[in-house]
Amino acid sequence: MKKIKILIAILISLTFILTACMNGVGKESLFLTLSIKQPDTTKSLQTNQELEFILSLNLPLANNELSSFSLEVEKDKIKDIITPDSTDGKFEVLNNKSVSIKYTPIENGKYYFVGKYRLANSEEIISKEIIKDIGASDNNYIKDIWVLNGTEKNIENLEGKTYVINPNDNKYIPKNSASIKLDIELNDLGNPSLIIFDEDGTEVKKITDKEDLFNAFPISGKEDDLKKFIFVLYDPNNPNTNFENENLKKMFLNLIVSDDNYNPEITYMENTGSLEIVSGNDIKVETIADTYNLNFKVKDLKDFGNTGVYKIKASIVTDASTEQILVDKVFNYGERYEDTISLNLDTNISDQNIKIIAEDFIGNTTIENYKIKISKTSYEVKLQPKYLDGRALEVQSNRYVYEDDESNNKFINLIAEMRTNKNIEQDYTYSFEIFDGVDDKSLMKEDLLYQNRYTFPAVSLKEGENVFNLKAEIKDSENIVKATDNDTIRVYLEDKTPPKIKNAIITLNSSGKNFEINPPNRGNVEYEANTSWNFDINIEDTSEIILNTDTILGEILYEGQSVVNDPTFNYVLSENTLRISAPSGFNDTLKKGRYIIKIYRDSFGGNIQIQDENGNYLKEGQDYIIEFEVR
């Protein structure tokens, strides 16, 4: 084989010489170029990285002659010649005037590269010199990171590994700290060091002792929050391997410090004003529409130390193995602590099972299953409240809430509407009537309307919950009802008024006669001789009444003089009503003149006796007072 190579080399040389003589091509007409194939020119060259050099003549040869090409490599004034017989290089013939030479530098530093080609019986043709700085390769690197006192958690959208640590479990290291253990691969000699940054680029920790790299060490997280770290292994004694080198391998660690033990909350947001019956997770719907929208709220509020909503998934489950995904959301840490999802259901399917899964960043998971039963109807009635300026009222806890603007009068517009998917004759009319939902008293009515929508203007609200019932009808020209339906809404106006006296009943024990005293709590009682008397004072509120005492204190005065020895009054409390009667053993003979019954605002200890659940009570210096004149 070697003889064949030598023979080929002699033939190529003779051919080139003959060609040059015949065509007048001399040494001065032939030149050589040298280049480096570098796939990514944005990155610097590294040791242990194979480099490919291309040597090209400007004229083709009669045949390929490997022995005539060579690559000269110089570093620190020491030269090395790469030839076909060199064990350091790899040669490949590309065409009849170019070859590839591959070379791998093993030491970092400044390199000088020169390509050469020798003509038979002539001087060498030399290319221009290429100078390259070659840095140390990254053969030292971090293979893995562990947090010994944490639980690994797979979090999408976070680069690197994520661990969760409970600050209450850190018994042997500083609170909110993670115990870090590294798996490091060291292949290069030198003095590897570790530097750790946070996500803002601030240096968190530096380890320069090689032995300490293999021991566990702490880094501090952020209480009730996420903190990101970047780990970089580098050689501080080598200027070509500083930690800013983009070729150095970096490891990322995300640390969540939290003792969150609460699962996310999933609640159904009832469509107030729609025909829905909600019982736990069973929802019955009546609608004329082809699709129906269900809204659910998912909460994992930060105020309670929660880590926030991470994933929400909602699907229609048809059997144990089949589901149609309707919602699939993934949030970044800190992005969402509350979210609302809307599910649009096909009303042609009467029975549907909805499964909703909510997960926080700790892994706490809530699963709720809802049974939806949909009935398509021909008619649909809706009552909707709006502010006088047309703004919609906010819905909270299945009722509308009126935001108090501190004005004396609270008014809303009530918009009544009746929709149908049937054809309505031109002479048919609509009728809308609003009732008080508590006592079923008719409040307002509009009849003989040719439009299916009507606005009842400036409806007054009272404090607390206002219940309005709508009765809607479609009538023909003979006033015969062809269709009817109902809707009920609740509108809440914040209670800012303390419990107040509804009335007082004065009873004459001999005859049993009752005299009612209404606000402003002054009245008259007809005199009856030789009789004792008693009373009931009824106090009410739109919210629940709260007593801050076991006994209610007060006094009864006749012409300014007390007629009771015991200031402790009897009472019966039932949610938002309080009935107060005379002390036990009270026995006073009715006399003509002026009586005052007083229930103190404060107990003898200075505590408020009576208030509502919203903290409303009488102003300082005020008491509950009933006055009556016996004539």
Side-chain angles (χ1 to χ4, degrees):
M1 185 69 183
K2 189 172 182 181
K3 291 180 179 180
I4 294 174
K5 283 187 176 181
I6 295 173
L7 179 60
I8 291 173
I10 294 172
L11 291 174
I12 290 173
S13 299
L14 290 174
T15 302
F16 183 79
I17 294 171
L18 290 173
T19 303
C21 294
M22 293 175 62
N23 296 288
V25 178
K27 176 177 175 294
E28 64 279 1
S29 302
L30 196 65
F31 59 86
L32 178 67
T33 59
L34 176 67
S35 61
I36 298 180
K37 285 184 68 176
Q38 192 170 349
D40 190 349
T41 58
T42 62
K43 293 185 178 181
S44 58
L45 301 178
Q46 301 288 312
T47 57
N48 299 314
Q49 174 187 357
E50 187 177 69
L51 306 179
E52 183 177 4
F53 294 85
I54 307 299
L55 288 78
S56 296
L57 291 169
N58 62 316
L59 295 175
L61 299 175
N63 203 343
N64 296 325
E65 175 51 73
L66 297 180
S67 63
S68 297
F69 288 96
S70 63
L71 177 67
E72 181 182 280
V73 181
E74 180 180 345
K75 179 185 179 295
D76 298 331
K77 297 184 178 180
I78 299 175
K79 295 183 178 181
D80 188 17
I81 306 297
I82 310 300
T83 65
D85 296 327
S86 300
T87 58
D88 298 325
K90 298 178 181 179
F91 275 66
E92 180 183 355
V93 177
L94 301 179
N95 50 50
N96 60 359
K97 60 178 181 178
S98 302
V99 296
S100 165
I101 299 178
K102 294 178 181 178
Y103 171 75
T104 302
I106 58 174
E107 295 181 358
N108 62 290
K110 188 181 291 292
Y111 280 75
Y112 303 85
F113 299 96
V114 176
K116 295 184 177 182
Y117 181 83
R118 180 181 293 278
L119 288 168
N121 300 321
S122 181
E123 297 180 6
E124 287 182 323
I125 299 174
I126 300 174
S127 72
K128 290 184 178 180
E129 185 179 59
I130 294 178
I131 303 174
K132 289 289 183 181
D133 288 317
I134 297 180
S137 64
D138 182 27
N139 280 339
N140 300 329
Y141 62 94
I142 303 171
K143 293 171 64 177
D144 206 350
I145 299 176
W146 298 288
V147 176
L148 301 182
N149 61 324
T151 302
E152 187 174 357
K153 175 71 176 167
N154 182 27
I155 301 293
E156 296 179 36
N157 303 329
L158 281 180
E159 185 176 6
K161 299 180 73 174
T162 300
Y163 276 87
V164 176
I165 63 171
N166 188 328
N168 301 320
D169 293 341
N170 290 2
K171 300 178 181 179
Y172 306 107
I173 62 175
K175 187 177 180 180
N176 303 327
S177 293
S179 179
I180 305 298
K181 188 73 170 66
L182 302 179
D183 182 6
I184 297 177
E185 182 78 15
L186 296 181
N187 294 317
D188 280 349
L189 298 177
N191 214 8
S193 296
L194 177 73
I195 190 167
I196 305 173
F197 301 94
D198 64 17
E199 60 182 323
D200 297 324
T202 303
E203 182 180 316
V204 174
K205 194 178 190 68
K206 182 183 286 186
I207 298 178
T208 56
D209 190 326
K210 181 178 179 180
E211 298 301 321
D212 290 341
L213 294 176
F214 298 93
N215 299 323
F217 58 87
I219 59 172
S220 296
K222 189 175 181 180
E223 186 173 5
D224 294 329
D225 211 341
L226 165 71
K227 193 169 184 179
K228 300 178 182 180
F229 298 93
I230 304 172
F231 290 67
V232 181
L233 197 66
Y234 73 104
D235 185 353
N237 298 321
N238 189 334
N240 294 311
T241 60
N242 63 75
F243 57 79
E244 295 178 349
N245 190 330
E246 61 185 7
N247 292 308
L248 291 179
K249 295 180 181 178
K250 299 175 177 63
M251 291 288 284
F252 298 88
L253 175 68
N254 310 293
L255 192 62
I256 298 175
V257 179
S258 178
D259 58 356
D260 178 6
N261 292 317
Y262 299 100
N263 290 356
E265 296 180 12
I266 303 174
T267 54
Y268 174 61
M269 301 170 64
E270 184 177 344
N271 287 312
T272 304
S274 297
L275 297 177
E276 290 186 358
I277 299 176
V278 181
S279 177
N281 284 8
D282 293 344
I283 303 171
K284 295 181 179 180
V285 174
E286 289 186 10
T287 181
I288 64 172
D290 293 330
T291 60
Y292 193 83
N293 204 52
L294 299 179
N295 297 311
F296 298 85
K297 186 176 289 293
V298 179
K299 295 192 297 185
D300 199 61
L301 299 182
K302 188 176 184 180
D303 295 342
F304 301 100
N306 295 317
T307 52
V309 180
Y310 169 44
K311 284 186 176 182
I312 303 175
K313 183 179 179 180
S315 56
I316 298 176
V317 181
T318 53
D319 55 47
S321 60
T322 305
E323 63 178 355
Q324 176 189 353
I325 297 176
L326 302 178
V327 173
D328 194 358
K329 292 184 176 182
V330 178
F331 300 105
N332 296 322
Y333 190 93
E335 178 183 356
R336 202 66 55 91
Y337 293 92
E338 184 174 337
D339 191 58
T340 300
I341 61 172
S342 295
L343 309 181
N344 203 25
L345 303 185
D346 184 352
T347 58
N348 292 311
I349 304 175
S350 58
D351 295 294
Q352 302 187 47
N353 296 316
I354 302 296
K355 181 179 181 181
I356 301 177
I357 304 173
E359 181 183 355
D360 66 14
F361 283 85
I362 297 297
N364 300 320
T365 303
T366 299
I367 301 175
E368 293 285 354
N369 294 285
Y370 295 87
K371 292 183 178 180
I372 315 298
K373 190 172 187 63
I374 302 176
S375 299
K376 293 196 73 172
T377 63
S378 300
Y379 304 96
E380 187 174 87
V381 170
K382 185 174 184 180
L383 183 63
Q384 184 178 14
K386 288 194 175 182
Y387 293 102
L388 298 185
D389 61 5
R391 291 179 297 120
L393 275 69
E394 183 180 354
V395 178
Q396 296 179 7
S397 302
N398 301 326
R399 65 185 180 184
Y400 293 98
V401 177
Y402 184 99
E403 296 294 340
D404 194 353
D405 56 4
E406 303 300 333
S407 62
N408 293 327
N409 298 316
K410 316 299 180 184
F411 296 102
I412 58 172
N413 293 333
L414 288 177
I415 302 171
E417 183 179 14
M418 186 175 190
R419 296 189 299 161
T420 178
N421 55 16
K422 291 183 175 293
N423 293 325
I424 300 298
E425 301 295 335
Q426 290 185 354
D427 57 352
Y428 280 18
T429 59
Y430 292 85
S431 172
F432 299 107
E433 188 172 9
I434 306 293
F435 294 85
D436 186 309
V438 177
D439 57 19
D440 203 31
K441 178 182 177 182
S442 179
L443 301 176
M444 58 204 79
K445 182 178 181 180
E446 285 296 330
D447 208 351
L448 301 176
L449 299 171
Y450 286 100
Q451 68 271 20
N452 69 332
R453 178 185 176 100
Y454 182 79
T455 299
F456 292 94
V459 180
S460 178
L461 297 176
K462 65 178 186 294
E463 286 188 347
E465 189 166 83
N466 299 260
V467 182
F468 298 103
N469 290 337
L470 168 64
K471 180 181 180 181
E473 295 177 333
I474 298 177
K475 300 178 182 179
D476 64 14
S477 58
E478 302 297 327
N479 207 33
I480 298 174
V481 176
K482 309 301 286 187
T484 183
D485 211 339
N486 303 278
D487 190 22
T488 299
I489 63 170
R490 292 170 172 79
V491 181
Y492 178 76
L493 174 62
E494 183 181 359
D495 179 6
K496 295 186 177 181
T497 303
K500 59 186 178 182
I501 295 175
K502 178 183 180 181
N503 62 16
I505 306 297
I506 308 299
T507 302
L508 305 185
N509 294 332
S510 295
S511 64
K513 289 183 179 179
N514 293 325
F515 297 89
E516 183 175 359
I517 299 174
N518 296 304
N521 307 328
R522 293 182 178 86
N524 297 310
V525 173
E526 182 181 335
Y527 175 72
E528 186 176 296
N530 301 320
T531 183
S532 61
W533 61 284
N534 216 315
F535 65 87
D536 288 311
I537 299 174
N538 297 302
I539 296 176
E540 66 178 5
D541 196 87
T542 56
S543 303
E544 184 177 352
I545 294 177
I546 304 297
L547 295 182
N548 299 316
T549 177
D550 294 332
T551 59
I552 293 181
L553 303 179
E555 61 180 342
I556 305 173
L557 302 174
Y558 170 70
E559 296 294 347
Q561 299 297 318
S562 176
V563 295
V564 292
N565 296 320
D566 182 4
T568 304
F569 286 57
N570 293 317
Y571 68 88
V572 175
L573 175 64
S574 177
E575 296 183 352
N576 64 334
T577 61
L578 172 66
R579 187 175 77 246
I580 301 175
S581 56
S584 301
F586 174 68
N587 186 16
D588 180 58
T589 301
L590 187 69
K591 298 175 284 291
K592 290 183 179 181
R594 183 168 174 263
Y595 282 87
I596 296 177
I597 305 172
K598 182 183 293 186
I599 308 300
Y600 299 144
R601 170 186 181 267
D602 303 324
S603 66
F604 291 152
N607 295 324
I608 301 296
Q609 292 197 109
I610 303 169
Q611 69 176 59
D612 66 19
E613 62 181 331
N614 298 311
N616 299 311
Y617 49 82
L618 295 177
K619 295 180 180 178
E620 188 173 357
Q622 293 180 336
D623 296 304
Y624 291 103
I625 297 175
I626 295 292
E627 296 184 23
F628 62 92
E629 189 83 19
V630 181
R631 296 177 181 178

